[in-house]
Amino acid sequence: MWVTTTSGPRQAVHGFGPAPLPPARGPLTEALLLALVSAPGTLRLPAPPAADPLADDDEALTLYLCYELSYKGLEGVDDRWEWEPSLLAARRELERRFVRRLRAELAPVPVDPRAVGEAIASVLAADRAPSVSRYLLEHGGPADFREFAIHRSAYQLKEADPHTFAIPRLSGVPKAAMVKIQYEEYGDGRAGEMHANLFADTLSELGLTPTYGWYLDRIPGVTLSGVNLISLFGLHRRWRGALVGHLAAFEMTSVGPNARYAAAARRLGFPEAASRFFDVHVDADEEHQGLAAGPLAAGLTELEPGLADDVVFGARALCLVEGLWSHHATGAWSRGLSSLRPSAS
Ligand SMILES: [Fe+2]
Ligand SMILES: [Fe+2]
């Protein structure tokens, strides 16, 4: 598809969604997918497994698909499922397990609302998870890099959308900061420059399929949980502090890793255009990290000091879930294995 942009040349704009339905991967997705292809009605999911809700492939995809109804929707699924009470009840139970798992590792810590930016910076400085960008730059092969892009497609093709849910829930200085960041994530008014669109370009340049949701069946639960985390924070007003903390931590950990991803893509001999998405982030997030730690996060806790714990919780939850993913991916690659689920076809 081509669009006329507000300035500059016409650019290719990828189609986004609805996502094709992936195959079931266990009893939860089996029950959900069976229900979703019918008219909205009473959904009953089996009891979730005793497994880790952040890592279980079946449970994470079930929650991901429930959330997808609030983004681009699912191919062939009636849009009324989004607000179907039985689906929301099932989603609430999965969310309860998800949050309980986070809280089991992240006990509340006291935070000074006047120093929330510094508190997030300390959380990030203490993070000891393996660095995927360093691994790809120093050791990764082309297949590893393509796998990394497939993992990231679960979020990057809807980049910025989960955080945008915060906008109507904020006011004043933090709202203005959030809108400025998001406006740039959405390409400064140019559809082709939207970061999600740039990521679709990168997928194409890597020889992958840029279609929204195309790789869902290959993406493990531990990756989907990273997206579920932002959707959880985004879709519940009561988690607005955590959503802001998550975005702040995201922006504050973007410049270095994206510079390494760009360098890794070049080292591996991918077309120059494959690096553009990462290069753009090195530039944009130089400014976004300051906006996110200052007017956004500190601005929020100045207006609502009671949210300081939640803001830092959002940053800690990001580190926890990203750490599970980076252990999984680098662990598989360093043993010469794939980090993806086997293809169903
Ligand atoms: Fe971005
Ligand atoms: Fe950014």
Side-chain angles (χ1 to χ4, degrees):
M1 188 202 298
W2 294 89
V3 299
T4 304
T5 55
T6 50
S7 63
R10 294 198 321 161
Q11 292 172 290
V13 177
H14 298 268
F16 286 90
L21 286 180
R25 50 173 75 169
L28 289 169
T29 40
E30 207 166 301
L32 178 66
L33 290 165
L34 198 64
L36 289 179
V37 292
S38 312
T42 303
L43 169 70
R44 217 165 251 132
L45 292 183
D52 178 355
L54 297 182
D56 184 72
D57 282 355
D58 189 34
E59 188 167 348
L61 180 61
T62 304
L63 187 54
Y64 188 93
L65 293 173
C66 290
Y67 284 145
E68 197 52 41
L69 296 165
S70 296
Y71 293 104
K72 305 291 193 302
L74 295 163
E75 218 168 78
V77 172
D78 191 318
D79 283 341
R80 290 173 298 172
W81 270 108
E82 181 187 3
W83 291 98
E84 160 59 34
S86 59
L87 184 137
L88 293 177
R91 194 184 93 180
R92 189 176 55 202
E93 173 59 15
L94 298 175
E95 289 173 332
R96 196 184 57 75
R97 286 168 50 80
F98 192 99
V99 172
R100 196 173 57 191
R101 168 71 171 84
L102 295 177
R103 283 292 190 203
E105 288 207 34
L106 306 174
V109 289
V111 178
D112 179 353
R114 290 159 304 176
V116 83
E118 293 83 341
I120 296 171
S122 309
V123 167
L124 300 176
D127 187 18
R128 294 288 170 266
S131 163
V132 170
S133 60
R134 261 197 193 96
Y135 182 93
L136 290 173
L137 182 59
E138 291 165 11
H139 313 287
D144 301 331
F145 198 91
R146 288 193 180 94
E147 286 202 1
F148 152 72
I150 288 172
H151 282 285
R152 282 301 188 201
S153 69
Y155 171 69
Q156 241 67 55
L157 293 179
K158 62 160 82 75
E159 185 178 340
D161 291 343
H163 294 110
T164 298
F165 286 120
I167 292 174
R169 294 162 183 169
L170 301 175
S171 55
V173 169
K175 183 173 193 142
M178 173 68 94
V179 170
K180 176 157 174 52
I181 292 171
Q182 297 302 88
Y183 181 70
E184 289 163 10
E185 301 293 341
Y186 290 126
D188 291 292
R190 295 163 294 166
E193 291 295 309
M194 286 189 190
H195 292 184
N197 199 71
L198 296 180
F199 193 77
D201 287 342
T202 288
L203 289 172
S204 297
E205 297 294 339
L206 296 174
L208 298 169
T209 304
T211 306
Y212 188 86
W214 184 262
Y215 291 107
L216 213 37
D217 70 316
R218 305 292 316 277
I219 300 179
V222 73
T223 311
L224 297 177
S225 286
V227 192
N228 289 342
L229 178 71
I230 332 176
S231 299
L232 168 80
F233 291 159
L235 288 168
H236 294 270
R237 181 182 174 278
R238 70 192 172 96
W239 285 117
R240 66 196 180 284
L243 185 64
V244 161
H246 183 284
L247 179 59
F250 228 47
E251 299 291 352
M252 291 161 78
T253 49
S254 175
V255 173
N258 277 302
R260 289 190 285 274
Y261 291 132
R266 292 188 173 102
R267 176 181 74 78
L268 291 167
F270 288 117
E272 180 58 24
S275 292
R276 176 129 196 280
F277 169 87
F278 307 107
D279 291 337
V280 163
H281 280 84
V282 172
D283 277 351
D285 293 341
E286 191 66 54
E287 186 195 4
H288 287 178
Q289 58 186 342
L291 274 171
L296 178 60
L300 177 64
T301 53
E302 196 179 327
L303 292 176
E304 296 190 76
L307 293 181
D309 294 8
D310 282 354
V311 170
V312 176
F313 176 69
R316 294 167 75 208
L318 169 69
C319 291
L320 171 65
V321 179
E322 287 291 303
L324 295 175
W325 171 71
S326 66
H327 273 288
H328 167 81
T330 59
W333 297 331
S334 60
R335 296 197 305 279
L337 302 172
S338 171
S339 63
L340 299 173
R341 289 170 47 82
S343 173
S345 52

